[in-house]
Amino acid sequence: MTDIRRKLQTAGLRPTRQRVALAELLFAKGDRHLAAEDLHGEAVAIGVPVSLATVYNTLHQFTDAGMLRILSVEGSRTYFDTNTSDHHHFYIEEDGEVVDVPVTAQLKVENLPEPPEGMEVANIDVVIRLRRKG
Amino acid sequence: MTDIRRKLQTAGLRPTRQRVALAELLFAKGDRHLAAEDLHGEAVAIGVPVSLATVYNTLHQFTDAGMLRILSVEGSRTYFDTNTSDHHHFYIEEDGEVVDVPVTAQLKVENLPEPPEGMEVANIDVVIRLRRKG
DNA sequence: CTGTGTGCAAACTCTTTGCATAAGT
DNA sequence: ACTTATGCAAAGAGTTTGCACACAG
């Protein structure tokens, strides 16, 4: 609670009603991947009538502050990930659902190539696309 | 030429003027990643006045036929990849540009986790996001 | 001929923006 | 008070769709 307010302060963001509420939703229950509309729905559901535009603003501010990451998955919607450390994802096309690869899997990427001149690696996304067996 | 027509036939697609022209653009020069508007621009540039809607239709038909793949990169635009085999990408955020990781890099993904019950791996996308060194 | 493909324009979805109002310090 | 955040509604980008006309087999 107060640590959420502190977290926001540190990021240079005023701990407004909306931002605190959204941050609580995002960071209370471990790793989450969600789109703006999902978060908006949750906020409204618990009686925090924030606007969708503010949810978008807030998600981007949190991303700029390093509190969230944007997932590399195709599709029209942008997914934000509350886990900003290096980890990887299953992606189920049919449902557009994203699931963490369990850390216990110890998935490793080997022989990482040299990036082109003047570039450095920002991060690595591994997306394992799944389809229903049949 | 005729092999492109055959390729289309095999996929159950009539080799129409537009589809042949688009297929030639796509598959003539090795691996390419492009968005619908890019391909549309190229077609118009060489005097094949195909409509954007047809380019979208065609790209999806080719994808369904396994001739193209959709890339897992975030962002508003959908990128299609003419290389459908397992290979990986650099993604330069600032430019929205996608570059193949050279095959010589021999990048390997190890300890691939078990997919959840009833699921199988369709493919694996590794996106190495780059930023300008500074 | 018959059925599929194409093109246009309109519709749609997700996201961003401008500006007046509200809230934080 | 002063400044930044919020909300609304409108605009924007990319993509999809419906339907009349055109073309391939």
Side-chain angles (χ1 to χ4, degrees), chain B residues 8-41:
Chain B
L8 293 174
Q9 303 266 25
T10 308
L13 299 170
R14 283 194 191 162
T16 62
R17 239 192 295 301
Q18 292 85 337
R19 292 211 270 235
V20 171
L22 295 177
E24 279 172 358
L25 284 169
L26 285 168
F27 303 114
K29 358 176 178 166
D31 297 356
R32 312 200 60 191
H33 336 86
L34 33 66
E37 294 216 71
D38 303 329
L39 184 57
H40 181 246

Side-chain angles (χ1 to χ4, degrees), chain A residues 15 17 37 53 56 60 76-78:
Chain A
R17 241 193 291 304
E37 294 216 72
Y56 275 107
H60 284 126
S76 42
R77 307 201 307 168
T78 302

Side-chain angles (χ1 to χ4, degrees), chain A residues 29-40:
Chain A
K29 357 176 177 165
D31 295 358
R32 310 200 61 192
H33 335 86
L34 33 65
E37 294 216 72
D38 302 330
L39 183 58
H40 181 247

Side-chain angles (χ1 to χ4, degrees), chain A residues 12 20 55-56:
Chain A
V20 171
V55 173
Y56 275 107

Side-chain angles (χ1 to χ4, degrees), chain B residues 8 16 28 31 47 65 79 89 99 104-105 111 119 121 128:
Chain B
L8 293 174
T16 62
D31 297 356
Y79 283 91
H89 300 96
V99 182
T104 56
N111 294 332
M119 295 279 166
V121 174
I128 302 171

Side-chain angles (χ1 to χ4, degrees), chain A:
Chain A
M1 285 184 144
T2 297
D3 36 316
I4 282 194
R5 303 181 80 88
R6 247 193 305 269
K7 202 169 176 175
L8 293 174
Q9 304 265 25
T10 308
L13 299 169
R14 283 194 192 164
T16 62
R17 241 193 291 304
Q18 292 86 337
R19 293 210 270 233
V20 171
L22 295 177
E24 280 173 356
L25 283 168
L26 285 168
F27 303 113
K29 357 176 177 165
D31 295 358
R32 310 200 61 192
H33 335 86
L34 33 65
E37 294 216 72
D38 302 330
L39 183 58
H40 181 247
E42 291 187 12
V44 170
I46 63 166
V48 181
V50 65
S51 80
L52 187 53
T54 296
V55 173
Y56 275 107
N57 287 338
T58 303
L59 286 170
H60 284 126
Q61 291 156 352
F62 287 5
T63 302
D64 294 344
M67 296 157 62
L68 294 175
R69 262 185 43 196
I70 294 177
L71 288 184
S72 284
V73 283
E74 92 219 25
S76 42
R77 307 201 307 168
T78 302
Y79 284 91
F80 295 83
D81 190 338
T82 60
N83 182 346
T84 58
S85 65
D86 260 336
H87 71 291
H88 309 296
H89 300 97
F90 292 118
Y91 178 63
I92 300 143
E93 303 197 34
E94 284 106 285
D95 323 333
E97 209 191 327
V98 180
V99 183
D100 273 357
V101 169
V103 260
T104 56
Q106 298 267 54
L107 182 146
K108 264 204 296 263
V109 178
E110 305 246 308
N111 294 333
L112 198 64
E114 275 304 306
E117 255 309 289
M119 295 279 165
E120 63 185 342
V121 174
N123 67 8
I124 300 171
D125 267 305
V126 178
V127 178
I128 302 171
R129 188 164 329 198
L130 300 178
R131 73 163 87 86
R132 236 169 281 287
K133 210 184 277 182

